[in-house]
Amino acid sequence: MKTDNLFYRLFQRLPGLVLELANIPITSEGYEFRSEEIKQTAYRLDGVLMPITDDGRPHVFVEVQFQPDEQFYARFFSEILLYLRQHPKIQAWRAVVIYPERKTESVINPAYHSLIQLPELSRVYLEDWRKRSTRDTVAKLVRLIICSERETMPYARQLLEDIPSSTLSRLEWLDFIETIVVYKLPRLSREEIRDMIGLKDIELKQTRFYQDVFMEGRQEGRQEGRQEGRQEGRQEGHQEGRQEGHQEGEAALLLKLLARRFGPIPDTFKAQIEAADADTLLLWGERMLNAKRLAEVFNRQPNKTSDK
């Protein structure tokens, strides 16, 4: 499971989760979470919690680091400082690094000892959240993410039976649980997941994750494909038009899903999608499930000094 992808998806839905994990006393209202490219370099900040309006609150740089990497802090601080240099209007910043446990944080180069002591940096170790009160909503979600595959289904069922009192509605809570389980157990179909954790079909179809990714997108893609197919079929031959229309619908669907996950799609990638055949579109759609960056979907890896 690409755990960092799962966290970034949750942060997009609930930006305040970053601040709560790091115990940063800032209101999450008015923040959005997205990735940010640093121009004229090969670097990309995987996650930035950004105030929507310029109200003096800090930008929060976020990294989920589940693999040991001795060069992590060299890269992370380089990216932050480059970003701050290119955005001189930013007056305050924070940084949050999320580790599954302390041993994942590799031996730190002495050159960075003073940097990791900066008050702007918060290091979160999810192992600590196993000890948090079971009444803590965030702790419940974190435990579901970090528990073993064997424990995932029983714990998900427990969470569905005991929905905590929080700012989340029932449907939002169902949405988070479903999203986590789908990411952790990709080999299972949605029907199997629904049956194993006891989700009613009507509840499943009401969750935002189901509607966004599995219902609305597919329906719109198929509808666009049928519509384009009928129009082209009348002009250039019924069968050929159907095939071309279906392909255009699949391209439109992929663009929509990529935009929801990575934000605005550059024109160069749009052109590639519009020109691709059906098999290539399918391949890119499969890559999107595990891609950490948009370029990885198209097999264009950023040239970093070290992969996470």
Side-chain angles (χ1 to χ4, degrees):
M1 179 186 64
K2 294 288 187 179
T3 310
D4 47 0
N5 289 348
L6 175 53
F7 271 102
Y8 295 141
R9 184 176 182 87
L10 291 176
F11 294 157
Q12 286 177 332
R13 297 283 185 83
L14 194 63
L17 184 58
V18 175
L19 304 175
E20 190 165 352
L21 281 171
N23 195 27
I24 298 176
I26 304 173
T27 176
S28 62
E29 185 177 353
Y31 270 102
E32 64 178 353
F33 183 85
R34 66 189 189 191
S35 63
E36 280 287 291
E37 183 173 357
I38 303 176
K39 299 178 181 179
Q40 299 177 348
T41 75
Y43 293 115
R44 172 182 290 272
L45 288 161
D46 290 338
V48 185
L49 195 64
M50 307 178 67
I52 297 174
T53 58
D54 186 11
D55 55 8
R57 286 182 298 167
H59 282 56
V60 184
F61 304 101
V62 184
E63 285 277 351
V64 179
Q65 190 67 24
F66 268 56
Q67 299 296 328
D69 182 357
E70 293 183 0
Q71 296 300 314
F72 168 72
Y73 285 112
R75 175 176 54 78
F76 190 40
F77 283 116
S78 295
E79 292 171 345
I80 292 173
L81 293 175
L82 281 171
Y83 187 84
L84 293 174
R85 178 183 179 184
Q86 294 179 4
H87 298 79
K89 292 184 178 181
I90 295 177
Q91 299 297 310
W93 63 276
R94 297 292 297 266
V96 177
V97 184
I98 300 173
Y99 292 104
E101 49 195 359
R102 284 171 175 79
K103 68 180 182 181
T104 309
E105 189 175 22
S106 301
V107 176
I108 301 172
N109 187 317
Y112 303 106
H113 281 178
S114 60
L115 289 176
I116 65 172
Q117 300 303 321
L118 287 172
E120 288 83 1
L121 177 65
S122 299
R123 291 180 286 171
V124 177
Y125 305 100
L126 297 180
E127 62 183 346
D128 295 341
W129 286 79
R130 293 190 177 99
K131 306 172 185 176
R132 296 289 290 264
S133 168
T134 56
R135 297 180 180 180
D136 192 313
T137 301
V138 176
K140 290 177 182 290
L141 290 175
V142 170
R143 288 179 188 178
L144 182 58
I145 293 173
I146 63 179
C147 71
S148 67
E149 289 192 10
R150 180 178 57 84
E151 298 171 320
T152 297
M153 285 302 187
Y155 189 50
R157 286 195 294 269
Q158 178 185 336
L159 293 184
L160 288 173
E161 294 172 358
D162 184 23
I163 297 177
S165 299
S166 69
T167 57
L168 297 175
S169 68
R170 176 176 175 80
L171 284 181
E172 288 174 318
W173 185 247
L174 291 175
D175 189 35
F176 278 117
I177 294 175
E178 182 196 13
T179 300
I180 293 170
V181 173
V182 168
Y183 265 80
K184 292 192 66 174
L185 305 174
R187 295 183 299 275
L188 296 180
S189 69
R190 301 192 65 76
E191 290 74 17
E192 291 173 318
I193 290 174
R194 179 197 64 196
D195 293 339
M196 293 178 72
I197 63 178
L199 268 178
K200 298 178 181 178
D201 187 61
I202 185 172
E203 290 183 326
L204 182 67
K205 292 182 179 180
Q206 287 176 346
T207 61
R208 188 185 309 171
F209 181 74
Y210 184 90
Q211 292 173 351
D212 285 355
V213 179
F214 287 91
M215 288 296 292
E216 290 181 357
R218 285 184 177 178
Q219 288 176 353
E220 291 179 12
R222 289 170 180 168
Q223 184 175 354
E224 291 175 11
R226 287 194 296 268
Q227 183 176 354
E228 293 289 340
R230 286 195 293 268
Q231 293 175 352
E232 296 292 332
R234 294 190 186 102
Q235 298 175 4
E236 301 179 11
H238 190 67
Q239 182 64 27
E240 182 180 354
R242 275 187 177 177
Q243 293 176 349
E244 292 181 0
H246 179 72
Q247 186 170 322
E248 290 182 16
E250 293 295 324
L253 170 58
L254 180 59
L255 276 171
K256 182 173 183 177
L257 295 180
L258 287 173
R260 282 178 176 166
R261 181 159 186 180
F262 299 105
I265 307 301
D267 291 340
T268 53
F269 289 139
K270 288 182 180 179
Q272 290 185 54
I273 292 173
E274 292 169 357
D277 57 28
D279 290 339
T280 302
L281 292 173
L282 178 60
L283 173 64
W284 289 342
E286 292 174 347
R287 284 180 182 170
M288 180 189 67
L289 297 176
N290 291 322
K292 190 172 181 180
R293 301 173 178 82
L294 178 61
E296 293 178 10
V297 175
F298 303 90
N299 201 25
R300 291 170 56 179
Q301 297 283 357
N303 193 14
K304 282 195 173 187
T305 58
S306 175
D307 293 333
K308 291 188 290 182

